[in-house]
Amino acid sequence: MTHPPNAPAAPAAPGTAPAPARPAGVPAQPSPAPAVAPPAGRGAWAVGRERLRVATTTEPGRLQILGAVLALLVVAFGAVTALQVDDRATAADDVVSRSQPLSADAAAIYRSLADADTTAASGFLAGTLEPEESRKRYDRDIATAARLLVKAAASTDGSGESAREIATLNEQLPRYTGLIERARAANRQGLPLGGAYLRYASQQMTSTLLPAAERLYAAETVHLQEDDESARTWPFLSLGLGLLTLAALVWAQRRNYTRTHRVFNHGLLAASAAAVVVVLWLLAAHTIARTGLDSARAHGQESLQVLNSARISSLTARANENLTLVARGAVLTEDGKNDKYEAEYTSSMSTLTDALATAREWADDDAGRGPVDEAATRTAEWKQRHKDARAKDEAGDFDGALGLIVGSKESGRSTGQSFDQVDAALERALAHEQAEFTRSAADARDALTALPLGAAALGILGAAGAVLGINRRLSEYR
């Protein structure tokens, strides 16, 4: 049988090499899929995300991330500690060098104004020719008040409550001194109008100047309390971040140990030591600062407030005592039954007695109790002498009553002398408590002074240690 010849193979396309023959018994293989181009729009974010995925799936990548996190935690801990402690150190410094001195100056302004009013009334009662010593004391009080007002104006916020009270005092003080000069001029001429001017001036003092000074003292005392609270507040954010940093460092070292069986990593150990030092320093410094501020508040600030109240009460009592003789019953209480100035004298003396009892209770040593005890003794003598003077006045012996009120120092039995002795004792007590306050508050401030810089430096060193410790592990993969 004749078979047709096989058809000739088709010629290969020009430029195409013939496919190699497949050995017998080898199955045909599928041809590889053509390469797929990256999707359009894939940018830096996608590339970065891919690199992060690759880094988190390899140990060197994980170590790099861990080192960055640890360094960031240690630096953040040091920075937050430095900022928070610096804020509290600034507040503690304000307590020592600004708030408390301003509060003391406000009390001194009140004292100077009240003493000037009292001295003016005493000089008026002395006769038509005012004693030179009385005039000098009045001038000294007015000059002191004016100087302290200028100092307070330079140290307070121009838009605050203190500034408004200072403006009121600066405006009203010249008016008061003008009324006093008119009263003196009329008194030298023997005119009864002098007494009216003096009473009006005293009314201006008690209704405008002294309330403004008292509000100024209250405002500055509030600022002192705010600074005190700011200085004693615990830095909870810093402490929390410090504990978190220590926990992260401990975990990193445990991780290192479980993977390498190496007990210590010098870099991480140094970072942990730096964090521990900052945490312990923060706790110790703030505890010392709070203790100092507590002592300053208990043995200084509160005692100063009570003693200032006692001194204000003594000055008010003395001014009303003088005005009782100047007015001679012309000014009555609202119910019209009693002498107004005598009633206010009695109220002020009662406040003085209570304040002295409280001040003695709060005094923490003999140096503080001694002046208070003397002031209490002199106050009792003052009350008795005033009682004798009132008995003479009510009996019609005005000159005898006047001698007991403004008698000379040589007589040794006038209420004016008792007032001076009380005032001098209170001044010594105030000086003692002021020194106690300043010493305790300064100790609190000093405890915080070096911590901000130390925390920042240790934070940087700790971060460097963490990076070096992680790099030591990374070097084992190179």
Side-chain angles (χ1 to χ4, degrees):
M1 182 174 181
T2 303
H3 295 280
N6 294 330
T16 303
R22 184 173 67 249
V26 177
Q29 302 293 326
S31 57
V36 180
R42 180 175 181 180
W45 172 253
V47 174
R49 185 173 58 185
E50 180 66 19
R51 289 179 179 176
L52 180 61
R53 185 189 66 78
V54 172
T56 56
T57 57
T58 63
E59 181 62 13
R62 295 191 192 99
L63 287 174
Q64 290 177 341
I65 295 173
L66 179 60
V69 171
L70 291 177
L72 181 61
L73 277 175
V74 177
V75 169
F77 173 44
V80 170
T81 300
L83 291 174
Q84 286 201 304
V85 175
D86 182 69
D87 181 66
R88 284 149 180 78
T90 300
D93 183 67
D94 286 342
V95 169
V96 177
S97 59
R98 182 177 177 275
S99 302
Q100 204 285 323
L102 279 175
S103 178
D105 286 347
I109 290 171
Y110 190 105
R111 187 262 172 193
S112 297
L113 292 174
D115 190 65
D117 192 50
T118 299
T119 304
S122 298
F124 186 90
L125 288 173
T128 56
L129 186 60
E130 183 179 6
E132 182 180 0
E133 181 181 355
S134 177
R135 180 59 186 250
K136 288 182 178 179
R137 180 170 176 171
Y138 169 85
D139 290 341
R140 184 169 59 249
D141 286 334
I142 294 298
T144 299
R147 175 178 57 81
L148 292 177
L149 283 172
V150 171
K151 180 181 176 182
S155 304
T156 55
D157 182 11
S159 59
E161 181 181 353
S162 295
R164 292 193 295 271
E165 304 304 338
I166 291 171
T168 299
L169 290 167
N170 282 326
E171 179 183 354
Q172 296 296 326
L173 185 56
R175 297 180 181 179
Y176 169 79
T177 56
L179 290 171
I180 291 296
E181 293 306 318
R182 291 184 181 183
R184 283 172 171 166
N187 190 44
R188 281 194 295 267
Q189 300 176 35
L191 300 176
L193 188 60
Y197 275 121
L198 182 66
R199 290 195 301 272
Y200 184 59
S202 181
Q203 182 181 358
Q204 289 290 100
M205 176 64 75
T206 56
S207 64
T208 304
L209 284 165
L210 291 182
E214 188 172 3
R215 290 192 298 270
L216 175 63
Y217 174 69
E220 295 302 334
T221 301
V222 169
H223 293 161
L224 171 60
Q225 293 170 348
E226 291 174 349
D227 289 337
D228 180 78
E229 289 297 331
S230 297
R232 68 173 60 246
T233 303
W234 279 101
F236 291 111
L237 178 59
S238 177
L239 289 172
L241 190 56
L243 295 177
L244 176 62
T245 301
L246 284 174
L249 287 168
V250 170
W251 176 83
Q253 291 175 87
R254 185 179 181 280
R255 180 181 185 276
N256 181 62
Y257 171 74
T258 57
R259 290 173 179 268
T260 66
H261 299 289
R262 295 172 183 172
V263 179
F264 297 117
N265 180 294
H266 294 155
L268 294 179
L269 194 62
S272 300
V276 168
V277 169
V278 175
V279 169
L280 293 179
W281 191 357
L282 176 61
L283 288 171
H286 207 74
T287 299
I288 294 172
R290 285 177 64 89
T291 301
L293 290 170
D294 287 341
S295 177
R297 173 184 287 182
H299 304 303
Q301 182 178 342
E302 293 177 350
S303 294
L304 285 170
Q305 292 178 1
V306 172
L307 289 170
N308 280 323
S309 175
R311 201 172 193 186
I312 289 170
S313 297
S314 69
L315 289 163
T316 305
R318 179 58 179 171
N320 286 315
E321 183 179 51
N322 289 332
L323 289 172
T324 300
L325 290 183
V326 173
R328 304 190 69 174
V331 183
L332 301 177
T333 55
E334 293 183 358
D335 58 9
K337 296 179 180 180
N338 300 299
D339 186 284
K340 176 179 181 295
Y341 298 119
E342 178 64 20
E344 291 180 354
Y345 161 84
T346 302
S347 175
S348 297
M349 290 299 285
S350 177
T351 303
L352 171 60
T353 303
D354 294 341
L356 289 175
T358 303
R360 192 187 191 287
E361 180 181 350
W362 287 356
D364 57 339
D365 55 17
D366 292 337
R369 284 187 290 268
V372 176
D373 288 339
E374 182 179 352
T377 300
R378 301 304 180 184
T379 299
E381 294 178 356
W382 182 2
K383 289 181 178 179
Q384 184 58 48
R385 291 173 180 178
H386 177 82
K387 184 178 180 180
D388 295 340
R390 291 302 302 154
K392 288 184 176 294
D393 188 31
E394 291 174 358
D397 186 4
F398 178 80
D399 292 336
L402 184 61
L404 288 176
I405 297 295
V406 296
S408 62
K409 292 183 178 180
E410 290 75 13
S411 65
R413 52 191 302 271
S414 69
T415 60
Q417 185 182 32
S418 297
F419 162 74
D420 290 338
Q421 291 169 341
V422 170
D423 192 67
L426 288 174
E427 186 173 5
R428 292 195 302 272
L430 282 165
H432 173 76
E433 298 300 333
Q434 179 70 50
E436 290 283 317
F437 177 91
T438 302
R439 180 168 57 252
S440 298
D443 290 342
R445 176 194 59 189
D446 295 342
L448 299 173
T449 299
L451 182 53
L453 181 59
L458 287 172
I460 294 173
L461 292 176
V467 172
L468 291 175
I470 295 299
N471 284 344
R472 179 69 184 86
R473 288 281 294 116
L474 282 173
S475 66
E476 298 173 359
Y477 290 88
R478 296 170 184 167

